Amino acid sequence: MAKRPTKKNLKAMHLNMVRIRRFEETAGRMAENGKIPGALHLYVGEEAIAAGVMQHLSDEDQITSTHRGHGHLVAKGGEFKPMFAELFGRSTGYCGGKGGSMHVSNMKVGMLGANGIVGGGPPIAVGAAFSNKYRKTKNVAVAFFGDGASNEGSFHEAANMAALYKLPCLFVCENNGYGEYTPQANHQAVVDVADRASGYGMPGVIVDGMDVMAVYEAAGEAIDRARNGEGPTLLECKTYRFYDHVGVRGMGLTYRTDEELALWQARDPVSAFEKNLIDLKVMTQDEIDSVYAEVNAALDEAVDFAEQSPYPDPSVLLDDVYWVGGD
Amino acid sequence: MAKRPTKKNLKAMHLNMVRIRRFEETAGRMAENGKIPGALHLYVGEEAIAAGVMQHLSDEDQITSTHRGHGHLVAKGGEFKPMFAELFGRSTGYCGGKGGSMHVSNMKVGMLGANGIVGGGPPIAVGAAFSNKYRKTKNVAVAFFGDGASNEGSFHEAANMAALYKLPCLFVCENNGYGEYTPQANHQAVVDVADRASGYGMPGVIVDGMDVMAVYEAAGEAIDRARNGEGPTLLECKTYRFYDHVGVRGMGLTYRTDEELALWQARDPVSAFEKNLIDLKVMTQDEIDSVYAEVNAALDEAVDFAEQSPYPDPSVLLDDVYWVGGD
Amino acid sequence: MSEARESEPRSLSYLAAISEGVREVLLEQDNAFLAGEDVGQAGSVFGIYAGLFDEFGADRVIDTPISEKGIIGLGVGASATGCRPIVDIMFMDFMGECMDEITNQMAKMRFMFGGSVALPVTVTTMSGGGRNLAAQHSQSLEAWLAHLPGIKVVMPTNAYDVKGLIIAASRDNNPVFVVMNKMIVAMQAEVPEGAYEVEIGKASVVRQGTDFTIVTLGRMVYEALDAADQFKEQGLDIEVIDARSIQPFDTETVINSIKKTHRAMVVHEAVQFGGFGGEIVAQIQDLAFDYLDAPVARIGAPFSPVPFSPSLEDAYIPNAARIVEKVKEMLA
Amino acid sequence: MSEARESEPRSLSYLAAISEGVREVLLEQDNAFLAGEDVGQAGSVFGIYAGLFDEFGADRVIDTPISEKGIIGLGVGASATGCRPIVDIMFMDFMGECMDEITNQMAKMRFMFGGSVALPVTVTTMSGGGRNLAAQHSQSLEAWLAHLPGIKVVMPTNAYDVKGLIIAASRDNNPVFVVMNKMIVAMQAEVPEGAYEVEIGKASVVRQGTDFTIVTLGRMVYEALDAADQFKEQGLDIEVIDARSIQPFDTETVINSIKKTHRAMVVHEAVQFGGFGGEIVAQIQDLAFDYLDAPVARIGAPFSPVPFSPSLEDAYIPNAARIVEKVKEMLA
Ligand SMILES: Cc1ncc(C[n+]2csc(CCOP(=O)(O)OP(=O)(O)O)c2C)c(N)n1
Ligand SMILES: Cc1ncc(C[n+]2csc(CCOP(=O)(O)OP(=O)(O)O)c2C)c(N)n1
Ligand SMILES: [Mg+2]
Ligand SMILES: [Mg+2]
């Protein structure tokens, strides 16, 4: 009983996809220019997943994310300015510069953090889902994680607990075929991570992660089930990252062939969706162009904001280690 | 293509089952008499599993065990004297009194230790299986673990690696329906742990763990596959422990009904097998009786041996922390 | 303490005080729950949570799968989103299964998020040897925790403290580890009814003395008291401090004592090498250097895993006799 | 060192020395293999294992799933059964995922089995901050390991040592952790060709001095050397010791130095509170009490997770300036 997206949904998802795409392209450029310290894992190519899933969530629903987390935060309602400021390590960032790309978070929109630990998210999402149920809300918690992360024990324990307690939870595996430089076939003997679902007693669903409509529908069903107390789902989205594991060009390793990359790029989720939107007469090319113009302008502003923001003063270092009253 | 047990196999398995049963009953009595320090987890009721699996293994094949490990060691060729001495904490024990019930081991027969950590065994068995393959032997490694242990992340990581590398490995889940005092339905949403196998890309097989013939055949097939380089199997044996989680009567909790216990006791693997052996004319009642007599005599001797053995001298405390040359 | 209901003096076991402490929390805070392996109907090891399941039901006293990573994750995620969980890791030895969730998530989340989240989660666990449970069920690993900014760590040693510290921990908006000891579950102490707090971060001078200071962690406080009594007749008046909390650590109480006594020893059950005793000694020699008449001694377990056999475990765990011997050595 | 092939002096980076060390092991021992996340074709982070996959193939240089428990289990099980594995935990921060396998299996198995098994396994890992990798990719957690009887732990700080210690570790019949540092991968040193050992458990006096002793762990040796140079003109002659191994710890070298200099400081990158520095200070004040003119100082990271922003990380990680300041304070 798939929920069909309304026009409003479609436009919102498109906006989010463009916001993610352009955010990441900009971040990539900034990293190459040496403006972003540390490691940067970009989401380009995988936008349909974040946009499709998040379309069903409110600020009160929670997500946990990964090292590749900007796209999740953008789609969850993260704003460019504090995001860029965080990536730049500035005091105006979401985490006051203490977290950076791998820990960027915004509790106000239910984004429980990018996570530098592969497999770090699922147990936390299960805790949030437990809390949602315990507090008798109708909220759900979504854990995003990669194909590589599906081999961590933490995923296993979290999935089992979520199914056992029938928690309002969704496990979204972003299967981009690689964990760092290791192809999936070299890290697990299965082709579909969704095959693991039945072992926990939850449905496993496979969806084309390059197709935002497909993601939207599959996620919608799973989230409805979760909200209705019918328990978690493992939703596997087949996708691909267009950039390297770290940064844009990464270490220049040749673990992926040009042909493979080209094949997936031909299925670019953003342009495919845009073609679709035009075909369906939901948006015109002009409208699409103005989305880009708007997003680009906002990004320029955000980068400026970040660049002009001060670095945190060393005196704040020990703040935030402990809660000391007040908030 | 199940391998049928020879008469010799049948007798050997019977002997092992009786050895385990009587060992455990004796150990239980000793614990109740205060002669065994620490915690004792008894295997009574589950004998068919250890006996059936171990019938296919040589001293060069390895097993990892659990906190409920005496049965595994007995069936793998452990001798009563050093076993009892170990349980009694004496210097003549397999571990010189340093390990006790939860760590009793004998590398000479490929028994890589009982393990006090639930889920501790599978990653080690995978390491041994890897080593078997690496060293180009034909040996297999078998990990025994419980239904409760199947929820530990360690099981997940081990199973995935074993399937990925097609290791000569067997995962034997002794599903006795409880993890300590928690029924399976309260610790996982699935009924069959074997359902987890397909998520790793290995076969999952369910067998009646009260029927040693069934275990023998299923284990034989899986071990053959493993030896032939076809990879691991998850073999789930449905079973029941006749005693409490710890010791004989445990904490006196009422988490299991008398009816349930009676139902399973009616399927006692030892007496069922003995009936079978007589029906099949493999053994007579007299022969069976003399097995018991022999085993009982050996146990008496072993208990005497243990009781008369000295406690380790405190001066040996720091020995064995590190290898310092020699062995 | 002011909140404690006025009532007759009442003696309670450490064990009963644990469950009473959790009970007060569950009564006081709707969003508090207890979750862990066999904490429900079975009441966990030694029955430390006995009665809670019957009183509060399966929704608030929750049996979990054997999944320590999942259990800590539950505590992190639920505390970040409006609950005040108490999660139980049965034996401290099992922390190895979830050190990532403790170290990289629970302890750091608030900091990494720039202070935009609080994690009011309590972790309860049992430590220590003495029951012949061998190498994997007898450890004292508090040194791992003390080294982790973002969590607090207390080690209550009597019924009064354990109840009050559980309540204080669960009212605290930070992750707090309550490390209990499995050898003293039957020990009795006077425990008020109702809710009261023992302040996290305050040591307790359990025996006043003028000649020598022994700083202890956990159950070792009783061995130190025993040793101190043995010196009474010889006229050596030993002060015994139960550190009670290792993060925050009550440096002031310790230093004040040493300024008075000029001699000190640190005793813990954990392996001496690399144990928390090193931190204490380093602080003492730094802050009271000119007051010290002798080096600060340390007593901890020898450098081996905890052995199973009674003859070895007895020799392994620090005790009054070893303390007495060491004090004599220092005075010689 | 005698085994090292006679050849021209040759400068090698820390990075290249790591891979050369592993290469010697793989050449020497048929039953040795290297396994870990992306150690194969990718050569792991910074390319520390570059070239090994091409030379030795997928059977001996093995990419694993992202499964740290599995990786350590592989090391335990394979080393107990005839192999001599080198297993890699990419960043030390990820040890939390496998502390059970390290603590309760790897470190204890020989002891629990009464000495009937040996585990010749080497664990390699990268530690430390300085690359703006934030709280979960920058830690120095050696204190956890030092406290675990049954394993050895070394922290090589230059190309010569890292190669020699990897070889020594893999020839050792015990589990040995080789904790490397991610900031010094490009640093060059003279490194002989062929196999040679650096003795595990021996500190290295990297700068002779008569007036002051600085004991360092890991990369901090360079900050200490820098600080020492700054005092040269003022006529303060500082001895700098690179501990190199923390288990076993070379107490003798440290104490001998202090008997000469009478003043000491311990510097490590790990969080100061509860860090291994406490152990070192406790030993020094115990064994050289009468030689000390002042308390032994400690410098470590402040009590917070490692921050991301360069402005904060720079303030966080101990450096020469902090050492200089502290030395001045002590002399004032
Ligand atoms: C516990 C842990 N182990 C290893 C790493 C190093 N690491 C960072 S990302 C990554 C690959 C993750 O692969 P996947 O889950 O498929 O996510 P993807 O990068 O493909 O989005 C690895 C191994 C880590 N950060 N945490
Ligand atoms: C890591 C860890 N967590 C918890 C425990 C405590 N514990 C010991 S046995 C046990 C139950 C194990 O259940 P199962 O795996 O089904 O084995 P069974 O006892 O039923 O044979 C538990 C929770 C432990 N020893 N190790
Ligand atoms: Mg991936
Ligand atoms: Mg069970």
Side-chain angles (χ1 to χ4, degrees):
Chain A
M1 227 191 25
K3 216 184 329 193
R4 308 282 316 170
T6 63
K7 274 196 183 188
K8 212 177 126 197
N9 290 147
L10 294 172
K11 285 184 178 179
M13 289 195 290
H14 175 254
L15 176 60
N16 261 340
M17 288 175 75
V18 175
R19 289 177 74 234
I20 299 172
R21 171 66 57 95
R22 294 293 304 124
F23 182 94
E24 294 294 66
E25 287 173 345
T26 311
R29 209 176 61 236
M30 294 293 142
E32 294 203 315
N33 294 342
K35 299 211 167 162
I36 296 182
L40 198 74
H41 304 88
L42 299 170
Y43 197 67
V44 175
E46 311 188 11
E47 296 89 346
I49 305 170
V53 172
M54 247 61 92
Q55 196 56 40
H56 301 281
L57 305 182
S58 78
D59 285 357
E60 280 68 48
D61 298 311
Q62 307 95 345
I63 65 166
T64 61
S65 174
T66 67
H67 55 288
R68 201 175 299 290
H70 315 154
H72 303 136
L73 179 50
V74 166
K76 194 76 174 62
E79 289 170 28
F80 289 164
K81 284 183 184 173
M83 282 188 70
F84 261 111
E86 189 57 38
L87 268 51
F88 279 53
R90 308 302 168 110
S91 64
T92 53
Y94 269 133
C95 310
K98 286 177 177 163
S101 164
M102 274 197 281
H103 308 293
V104 65
S105 65
N106 181 9
M107 293 299 291
K108 293 208 180 89
V109 297
M111 201 289 197
L112 275 65
N115 208 315
I117 296 296
V118 170
I124 298 174
V126 166
F130 189 95
S131 166
N132 291 337
K133 186 175 177 181
Y134 184 89
R135 293 179 296 115
K136 300 195 172 27
T137 70
K138 277 283 175 196
N139 294 119
V140 300
V142 180
F144 292 90
F145 62 100
D147 51 307
S150 75
N151 300 324
E152 283 281 9
S154 54
F155 161 70
H156 179 70
E157 298 189 7
N160 182 63
M161 283 174 72
L164 172 67
Y165 298 134
K166 272 189 180 283
L167 296 183
C169 202
L170 177 62
F171 294 90
V172 178
C173 180
E174 304 181 311
N175 183 350
N176 59 14
Y178 292 84
E180 290 199 349
Y181 315 101
T182 300
Q184 192 193 353
N186 289 0
H187 72 62
Q188 55 192 201
V190 290
V191 172
D192 300 318
V193 175
D195 285 354
R196 297 195 167 163
S198 61
Y200 305 113
M202 67 169 97
V205 178
I206 300 172
V207 72
D208 179 359
M210 308 306 268
D211 179 352
V212 70
M213 307 272 275
V215 172
Y216 176 87
E217 288 181 19
E221 266 186 65
I223 289 170
D224 280 352
R225 275 175 36 82
R227 284 200 212 281
N228 292 334
E230 292 165 60
T233 300
L234 172 51
L235 177 63
E236 178 182 8
C237 305
K238 306 284 193 184
T239 186
Y240 201 79
R241 59 173 156 68
F242 289 177
Y243 291 172
D244 208 334
H245 170 62
V246 187
V248 176
R249 268 172 290 268
M251 306 206 297
L253 295 169
T254 53
Y255 60 102
R256 308 194 299 189
T257 62
D258 292 345
E259 293 72 42
E260 184 181 282
L261 177 61
L263 228 78
W264 282 92
Q265 276 174 330
R267 303 187 45 221
D268 183 332
V270 180
S271 42
F273 188 41
E274 287 170 354
K275 189 173 172 306
N276 223 332
L277 289 171
I278 293 173
D279 288 350
L280 293 170
K281 299 204 189 327
V282 178
M283 292 178 86
T284 64
Q285 183 63 50
D286 275 359
E287 285 174 310
I288 289 172
D289 290 346
S290 64
V291 166
Y292 278 87
E294 227 172 277
V295 168
N296 287 340
L299 281 167
D300 287 346
E301 242 186 273
V303 169
D304 276 355
F305 171 80
E307 286 199 294
Q308 277 153 34
S309 293
Y311 285 103
D313 189 88
S315 66
V316 305
L317 178 65
L318 293 184
D319 299 349
D320 311 324
V321 180
Y322 293 96
W323 182 94
V324 284
D327 60 357
Chain B
M1 227 191 28
K3 217 186 326 192
R4 308 281 318 168
T6 62
K7 273 199 183 185
K8 212 176 128 196
N9 290 147
L10 293 172
K11 284 186 179 178
M13 289 195 289
H14 175 255
L15 175 60
N16 261 340
M17 289 175 75
V18 174
R19 288 176 76 232
I20 298 172
R21 172 66 55 94
R22 294 294 304 125
F23 182 94
E24 293 294 66
E25 287 172 345
T26 310
R29 209 176 61 236
M30 294 294 143
E32 294 202 316
N33 293 345
K35 299 210 167 161
I36 295 182
L40 199 73
H41 304 89
L42 299 171
Y43 196 67
V44 175
E46 312 188 11
E47 296 88 346
I49 306 170
V53 172
M54 247 62 92
Q55 196 56 39
H56 301 281
L57 304 182
S58 78
D59 285 358
E60 280 69 47
D61 298 312
Q62 307 96 346
I63 64 167
T64 61
S65 175
T66 68
H67 55 289
R68 202 175 298 291
H70 315 153
H72 304 135
L73 179 49
V74 166
K76 194 76 173 62
E79 288 170 28
F80 289 163
K81 284 182 185 175
M83 281 188 72
F84 261 112
E86 190 57 37
L87 268 50
F88 278 53
R90 308 301 168 111
S91 65
T92 53
Y94 268 133
C95 311
K98 287 178 177 163
S101 164
M102 274 197 281
H103 309 293
V104 64
S105 65
N106 182 8
M107 293 299 292
K108 293 209 180 89
V109 298
M111 201 289 198
L112 275 64
N115 207 314
I117 296 296
V118 170
I124 299 173
V126 166
F130 189 94
S131 165
N132 291 337
K133 185 173 176 181
Y134 184 90
R135 292 179 296 115
K136 298 197 171 32
T137 71
K138 277 283 175 196
N139 294 119
V140 299
V142 180
F144 292 90
F145 62 100
D147 51 308
S150 74
N151 300 324
E152 283 280 9
S154 54
F155 161 70
H156 178 71
E157 298 189 8
N160 181 63
M161 282 173 74
L164 172 67
Y165 299 133
K166 272 191 180 282
L167 296 183
C169 201
L170 178 62
F171 294 90
V172 178
C173 180
E174 305 181 311
N175 183 350
N176 58 14
Y178 293 84
E180 290 198 350
Y181 315 100
T182 299
Q184 192 194 352
N186 289 0
H187 73 61
Q188 55 192 202
V190 290
V191 173
D192 299 319
V193 175
D195 285 355
R196 297 195 167 163
S198 61
Y200 305 113
M202 66 170 97
V205 178
I206 299 172
V207 74
D208 179 359
M210 308 306 268
D211 178 352
V212 69
M213 306 272 275
V215 173
Y216 176 87
E217 288 181 20
E221 267 186 64
I223 290 169
D224 280 352
R225 276 174 35 83
R227 285 200 211 280
N228 292 334
E230 292 165 58
T233 301
L234 172 52
L235 178 63
E236 179 181 9
C237 306
K238 306 283 192 184
T239 187
Y240 201 79
R241 60 172 154 68
F242 288 178
Y243 292 171
D244 208 335
H245 169 63
V246 187
V248 176
R249 267 173 290 266
M251 309 206 295
L253 296 169
T254 54
Y255 59 103
R256 307 194 301 189
T257 63
D258 291 345
E259 292 72 42
E260 184 180 283
L261 178 59
L263 228 78
W264 282 92
Q265 277 174 331
R267 303 186 45 219
D268 182 332
V270 179
S271 42
F273 188 40
E274 287 171 353
K275 189 173 172 309
N276 222 332
L277 289 172
I278 293 174
D279 288 351
L280 293 169
K281 297 205 187 330
V282 177
M283 291 179 88
T284 66
Q285 185 62 51
D286 275 359
E287 285 173 309
I288 289 171
D289 290 346
S290 64
V291 167
Y292 279 87
E294 228 172 277
V295 168
N296 288 339
L299 281 167
D300 287 347
E301 243 185 89
V303 169
D304 277 356
F305 172 80
E307 286 199 294
Q308 277 153 34
S309 294
Y311 285 103
D313 189 88
S315 66
V316 305
L317 179 63
L318 293 184
D319 298 349
D320 310 325
V321 180
Y322 292 97
W323 182 94
V324 285
D327 61 358
Chain C
M1 223 198 297
S2 53
E3 303 163 74
R5 261 170 255 145
E6 305 277 330
S7 65
E8 315 264 283
R10 188 185 59 131
S11 188
L12 219 62
S13 69
Y14 190 78
L15 190 130
I18 294 170
S19 119
E20 203 169 278
V22 176
R23 179 170 182 271
E24 292 296 339
V25 172
L26 296 185
L27 286 173
E28 177 175 285
Q29 301 168 357
D30 286 345
N31 285 342
F33 59 81
L34 171 68
E37 293 160 18
D38 275 308
V39 299
Q41 211 133 24
S44 192
V45 278
F46 316 119
I48 54 173
Y49 302 123
L52 296 175
F53 181 85
D54 288 342
E55 182 171 355
F56 296 98
D59 286 347
R60 301 192 66 197
V61 180
I62 299 136
D63 281 330
T64 65
I66 312 177
S67 300
E68 288 80 10
K69 300 165 82 63
I71 293 168
I72 298 293
L74 190 70
V76 173
S79 67
T81 58
C83 288
R84 304 187 74 86
I86 301 176
V87 291
D88 183 83
I89 299 296
M90 190 182 288
F91 290 121
M92 186 171 217
D93 311 69
F94 309 157
M95 272 190 342
E97 298 284 6
C98 48
M99 273 314 275
D100 180 73
E101 286 69 22
I102 292 171
T103 304
N104 286 324
Q105 316 298 341
M106 185 181 278
K108 297 183 173 50
M109 195 161 165
R110 178 176 176 79
F111 180 86
M112 293 188 305
F113 290 13
S116 62
V117 67
L119 300 185
V121 52
T122 299
V123 184
T124 48
T125 191
M126 283 273 168
S127 78
R131 288 182 176 268
N132 308 118
L133 293 174
Q136 296 172 337
H137 283 70
S138 307
Q139 291 167 88
S140 299
L141 295 169
E142 66 277 357
W144 286 1
L145 298 174
H147 194 39
L148 295 178
I151 58 175
K152 299 182 180 181
V153 188
V154 297
M155 299 178 71
T157 60
N158 60 63
Y160 180 87
D161 284 355
V162 79
K163 179 176 167 183
L165 282 169
I166 285 173
I167 293 169
S170 66
R171 287 179 182 169
D172 197 301
N173 279 340
N174 295 289
V176 183
F177 278 71
V178 181
V179 180
M180 308 181 289
N181 182 282
K182 60 170 84 71
M183 285 303 280
I184 56 176
V185 285
M187 278 186 71
Q188 306 270 328
E190 225 173 90
V191 176
E193 294 187 39
Y196 63 92
E197 288 188 34
V198 169
E199 191 180 341
I200 295 170
K202 279 275 169 284
S204 162
V205 180
V206 292
R207 187 184 198 280
Q208 308 266 357
T210 50
D211 304 333
F212 197 106
T213 301
I214 306 184
V215 185
T216 66
L217 301 186
R219 183 174 77 76
M220 287 302 114
V221 67
Y222 298 106
E223 301 298 328
L225 286 170
D226 180 349
D229 284 343
Q230 295 184 38
F231 282 103
K232 212 169 169 181
E233 289 180 12
Q234 293 153 62
L236 186 81
D237 193 7
I238 299 184
E239 179 146 307
V240 177
I241 299 177
D242 176 356
R244 236 179 0 188
S245 172
I246 59 172
Q247 181 49 245
F249 181 70
D250 187 354
T251 304
E252 198 187 335
T253 297
V254 171
I255 298 299
N256 285 342
S257 174
I258 286 153
K259 287 186 175 168
K260 180 174 65 175
T261 63
H262 307 295
R263 280 170 203 275
M265 176 188 289
V266 177
V267 185
H268 58 52
E269 190 180 334
V271 166
Q272 177 176 318
F273 189 90
F276 188 70
E279 175 65 32
I280 303 178
V281 173
Q283 290 196 14
I284 293 174
Q285 66 88 45
D286 187 26
L287 301 169
F289 190 74
D290 293 332
Y291 295 88
L292 285 175
D293 290 346
V296 186
R298 279 186 300 165
I299 290 188
F303 204 63
S304 88
V306 184
F308 163 68
S309 180
S311 69
L312 297 177
E313 198 186 27
D314 288 351
Y316 179 88
I317 301 177
N319 56 23
R322 271 186 64 199
I323 298 172
V324 167
E325 199 183 314
K326 189 87 185 175
V327 172
K328 283 185 181 157
E329 226 176 77
M330 284 176 71
L331 298 173
Chain D
M1 219 192 304
S2 54
E3 303 164 72
R5 260 171 255 144
E6 304 278 330
S7 65
E8 313 264 283
R10 187 185 60 130
S11 187
L12 219 60
S13 69
Y14 191 78
L15 190 131
I18 293 170
S19 118
E20 203 169 278
V22 176
R23 179 170 184 270
E24 292 297 338
V25 172
L26 297 185
L27 287 174
E28 177 176 286
Q29 301 167 357
D30 286 344
N31 286 341
F33 58 81
L34 170 69
E37 294 160 17
D38 275 310
V39 300
Q41 211 134 23
S44 193
V45 279
F46 316 119
I48 54 174
Y49 301 123
L52 296 175
F53 182 85
D54 288 341
E55 182 170 356
F56 297 98
D59 286 348
R60 300 193 67 196
V61 180
I62 300 137
D63 280 331
T64 64
I66 312 178
S67 300
E68 288 80 10
K69 301 166 80 64
I71 292 167
I72 298 293
L74 189 70
V76 172
S79 66
T81 57
C83 289
R84 305 187 74 88
I86 300 176
V87 290
D88 183 82
I89 299 296
M90 190 183 288
F91 289 122
M92 185 172 218
D93 311 67
F94 310 157
M95 272 191 342
E97 298 284 6
C98 48
M99 274 312 277
D100 181 73
E101 286 68 23
I102 292 171
T103 304
N104 287 324
Q105 315 298 340
M106 186 180 278
K108 296 184 173 49
M109 195 161 165
R110 177 175 175 81
F111 179 86
M112 295 188 303
F113 290 13
S116 62
V117 66
L119 300 185
V121 52
T122 299
V123 184
T124 48
T125 191
M126 281 273 168
S127 78
R131 286 182 178 266
N132 308 118
L133 293 175
Q136 297 172 338
H137 282 70
S138 307
Q139 292 167 88
S140 300
L141 295 169
E142 66 277 358
W144 286 1
L145 298 175
H147 194 39
L148 295 178
I151 57 175
K152 298 183 182 180
V153 188
V154 297
M155 300 178 72
T157 60
N158 61 62
Y160 180 87
D161 284 356
V162 79
K163 179 176 169 183
L165 281 168
I166 285 173
I167 293 168
S170 66
R171 287 179 183 170
D172 198 301
N173 279 340
N174 295 290
V176 183
F177 278 71
V178 181
V179 180
M180 309 182 287
N181 182 283
K182 59 170 85 72
M183 285 303 281
I184 55 176
V185 286
M187 279 186 70
Q188 305 269 328
E190 224 173 273
V191 177
E193 293 187 39
Y196 63 93
E197 288 188 34
V198 168
E199 190 180 341
I200 294 170
K202 280 273 168 287
S204 162
V205 180
V206 292
R207 186 184 199 280
Q208 307 266 357
T210 50
D211 305 333
F212 196 105
T213 301
I214 305 183
V215 185
T216 66
L217 301 186
R219 182 173 77 77
M220 287 301 114
V221 66
Y222 298 106
E223 301 297 328
L225 286 169
D226 181 349
D229 284 343
Q230 295 184 37
F231 282 102
K232 211 169 170 180
E233 289 181 10
Q234 293 153 59
L236 185 81
D237 193 7
I238 299 183
E239 179 146 307
V240 178
I241 299 177
D242 176 355
R244 241 184 352 191
S245 171
I246 60 173
Q247 182 47 245
F249 180 70
D250 186 353
T251 304
E252 198 186 336
T253 298
V254 170
I255 298 299
N256 285 343
S257 174
I258 286 153
K259 286 186 175 167
K260 180 174 65 176
T261 64
H262 307 295
R263 281 170 202 274
M265 176 187 291
V266 177
V267 186
H268 58 52
E269 190 180 333
V271 166
Q272 177 175 318
F273 189 90
F276 188 70
E279 174 65 32
I280 302 178
V281 173
Q283 291 197 13
I284 293 174
Q285 66 89 45
D286 187 26
L287 301 169
F289 190 75
D290 293 333
Y291 295 88
L292 285 175
D293 290 345
V296 185
R298 280 186 299 165
I299 290 187
F303 203 64
S304 87
V306 184
F308 163 68
S309 180
S311 70
L312 297 176
E313 198 186 25
D314 288 351
Y316 179 88
I317 301 178
N319 56 23
R322 271 186 64 199
I323 298 172
V324 167
E325 200 182 314
K326 189 86 186 175
V327 172
K328 283 185 183 157
E329 225 175 79
M330 284 176 71
L331 299 175

